[in-house]
């Protein structure tokens, strides 16, 4: 995270419950770098609605002074950066796009 120009978040079920994902998220928040947020919306592929992911964030991102970001302002700060400022991009699972992305 420290050496990156931007911070990419791939939102799926369990992202905010994962200790390691939260640790990276806090480092990204502390870095003040721009966020690119990709949202997996397909429930069959581990996705969830934006509202469900926001609820997961509110429940899970509750650490007080995490080591990567001691001045962390709580779940509301994460919600604003991930869902409001970054505007999540839906991950598209269309065959033609997948084939194109695999080309060299």
């Amino acid at each position: 995270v420290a050496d990156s120009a931007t911070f990419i978040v791939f939102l799926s079920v369990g992202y905010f419950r994962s200790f390691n994902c939260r640790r990276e998220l806090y480092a990204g928040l502390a870095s003040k770098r721009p966020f690119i947020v990709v949202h997996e919306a397909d429930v069959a592929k581990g996705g969830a609605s934006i509202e469900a992911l926001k609820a997961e964030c509110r429940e899970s991102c509750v650490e007080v002074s995490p080591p990567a970001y001691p001045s962390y302002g709580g779940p509301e700060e994460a919600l604003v950066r991930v869902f409001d400022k970054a505007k999540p991009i839906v991950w598209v699972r269309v065959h033609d796009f997948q084939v194109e992305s695999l080309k060299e």
Side-chain angles (χ1 to χ4, degrees):
V1 174
D3 294 330
S4 62
T6 187
F7 184 72
I8 299 175
V9 176
F10 191 90
L11 292 175
S12 61
V13 170
Y15 174 81
F16 294 108
R17 289 191 304 259
S18 165
F19 172 77
N20 286 328
C21 289
R22 285 195 318 278
R23 190 172 59 165
E24 287 185 352
L25 175 64
Y26 299 144
L29 290 168
S31 75
K32 307 295 185 205
R33 287 175 175 73
F35 276 38
I36 296 172
V37 180
V38 180
H39 169 221
E40 172 59 79
D42 187 343
V43 176
K45 303 289 186 183
S49 70
I50 291 291
E51 289 310 311
L53 292 165
K54 285 180 178 181
E56 186 179 294
C57 179
R58 283 186 196 94
E59 294 167 6
S60 302
C61 297
V62 296
E63 285 87 355
V64 176
S65 300
Y69 188 20
S71 62
Y72 174 59
E76 290 306 315
E77 180 180 356
L79 287 165
V80 167
R81 287 287 298 279
V82 173
F83 295 101
D84 295 338
K85 289 186 177 180
K87 304 292 185 214
I89 302 163
V90 176
W91 180 249
V92 179
R93 291 183 177 276
V94 175
H95 177 74
D96 292 339
F97 292 140
Q98 292 175 334
V99 169
E100 192 63 31
S101 68
L102 295 175
K103 290 181 180 178
E104 291 185 51

